[in-house]
Structures are given as structure tokens and as C-alpha cells.
Amino acid sequence: MAAVAPAGGTHGIQKDSSLLELDSYELAALLVQDAIAGRLDNGMAAMKLRSQTARRCFALYTSQLWTYFIYICLCAQMLLGFEEPSASFVDNPSPDWKPWTIATEASFLAVLLLDMALKMRFMGLHMYVSKTWHKKYMALLFLHVIDMLLLAAGTGRPFRCLRGVGLLLRSRTLRRICGAIIGVWDVLLVWSLWLFGLLLVFAAVRTSSSHDTPTPST
């Protein structure tokens, strides 16, 4: 029996005849899992049509072990700032300077660049850069590379304070939480401005009424 695509389309998945050749139950199960994970455009169902290399990159990138490893690297990168040398260590090395911190930071940065390359490989370059938060993640890693070059040059490192942003951009859960907080903040800000405006109007009316009230003569 010919497979039938689920009603409502596949939300960005190419409606190719090869996709319809998949078992309908298998396709439905994959689409449900992709919907739960929030990756319908580039989920397990879409990977059925991609190359073997893309599927392997997808499997590694979406594995829990790799995800936890990336989170550990991002957290350790932030904590590494307490052990790293100052910007002037090239010309005036401190006696308590720890060379392992530079190698460790470079290793963390290489892992993060590999993490980005994995997703770029199975999504495709055009689709990857079409998402706003991907562009921000790319820009952040680029600033980290510049930061390492500035360290090698012995100059200031202005981008060290941005390390915590990487964890926010990499974690889908944190992005959703921040989006919800920003959405609530926008509502609170609008209502606060309305309340402030009403208080100003009320104060102006009371001031005008007090001036119009005649003072009793003695």
C-alpha cells in the first residue's frame, strides 16, 4: 500500500517521492519525535533524504553525550577566566602563570567550532545562516577566536565577558526561558508605562483642582 504523508504537510521537509516511499508509520513516528524536539525542518525524517555523512553528523550532534560534553566545555570555559593570565603576560610573564590555561582554552574553542561545523554540515550552509541565533553563535565564536589572537599579541581581551552567552545560545531550553522572560518583561513595561502615565494625569488633575479652589477669607 502506498505511503501517505501526514495531513498538514511536513513543515519544510521536501515533498519528494523518495520521502513518500518510507513506511508511513515510521515517517509519522519520526515526525512526532522531530516535532517534540523542535526540529521538523532538519530532524530524523529529513535526514532520511540526506547523505550518510550528514546523518552521522546529525546523530553525533543530537546525542545526549555530545550535548552534555558541549555544556561542560562552555561552563568550564567561563570558569577558566579565573585562572587565565592577564593580557600583559607575553611581555611580563607572571611567576604564577599557568601555561595549561591557554592550551585548555584553545581546546574548548576547537570543540565549539567543531560543534558548529557538525550542525552546519547536516543542515546545509544556506539554511544554517538563515536562522538568527545561528548567526549570533557564529559571531560569538568569531569573537572568541579574535580574543585568542589578542591574547597571543599581548593586548587587552575585551570579549572574555561574552563567554556565558555561548551557553545561552547553545541551549534551546535557556533560549526559550529567556524568550519567555523577555515577553513578560515587555508586557510589564507597557503596563508600568500606562500606570505611570495615569499617575501623572491624576497628579496634574489634583494640582489643578487645588489651584482652582478659592481660599476662604479670614
Side-chain angles (χ1 to χ4, degrees):
M1 183 177 62
V4 180
T10 55
H11 190 75
I13 300 175
Q14 293 182 346
K15 296 181 180 179
D16 193 86
S17 58
S18 55
L19 181 62
L20 297 178
E21 292 174 0
L22 296 174
D23 182 82
S24 58
Y25 294 105
E26 179 187 4
L27 178 60
L30 293 177
L31 288 173
V32 170
Q33 295 181 50
D34 292 339
I36 295 174
R39 53 168 65 98
L40 276 174
D41 292 336
N42 295 278
M44 292 181 289
M47 289 301 115
K48 290 290 185 178
L49 304 178
R50 308 289 171 83
S51 65
Q52 186 177 10
T53 303
R55 291 197 297 269
R56 288 177 177 175
C57 292
F58 175 82
L60 176 59
Y61 183 88
T62 56
S63 65
Q64 289 189 349
L65 183 61
W66 178 260
T67 301
Y68 292 149
F69 177 62
I70 293 297
Y71 291 164
I72 291 174
C73 288
L74 288 169
C75 294
Q77 185 190 37
M78 290 188 292
L79 297 176
L80 194 62
F82 295 101
E83 293 290 340
E84 290 173 337
S86 61
S88 61
F89 87 102
V90 176
D91 299 325
N92 301 303
S94 174
D96 60 348
W97 172 57
K98 304 176 179 63
W100 63 267
T101 59
I102 307 302
T104 305
E105 182 182 357
S107 300
F108 288 155
L109 183 57
V111 170
L112 297 179
L113 290 173
L114 175 60
D115 180 64
M116 180 183 68
L118 287 174
K119 190 166 190 179
M120 193 178 295
R121 175 63 183 85
F122 71 78
M123 285 187 65
L125 179 61
H126 178 72
M127 183 172 293
Y128 183 89
V129 299
S130 66
K131 295 184 179 296
T132 302
W133 78 268
H134 285 164
K135 297 177 183 177
K136 295 178 181 178
Y137 193 62
M138 291 177 63
L140 179 66
L141 295 184
F142 178 71
L143 293 179
H144 285 337
V145 173
I146 294 179
D147 205 52
M148 288 291 297
L149 297 177
L150 292 176
L151 175 65
T155 59
R157 305 181 64 187
F159 306 121
R160 293 175 65 180
C161 60
L162 299 177
R163 292 184 179 182
V165 181
L167 186 61
L168 174 63
L169 293 176
R170 182 59 173 80
S171 173
R172 185 189 303 270
T173 302
L174 291 180
R175 291 200 309 270
R176 289 175 176 174
I177 292 175
C178 289
I181 293 175
I182 293 174
V184 173
W185 174 257
D186 290 342
V187 174
L188 291 177
L189 180 61
V190 171
W191 280 101
S192 298
L193 291 176
W194 273 103
L195 180 60
F196 182 70
L198 291 176
L199 290 175
L200 289 179
V201 172
F202 180 74
V205 171
R206 288 295 302 270
T207 303
S208 177
S209 299
S210 63
H211 288 167
D212 294 341
T213 303
T215 304
S217 58
T218 56

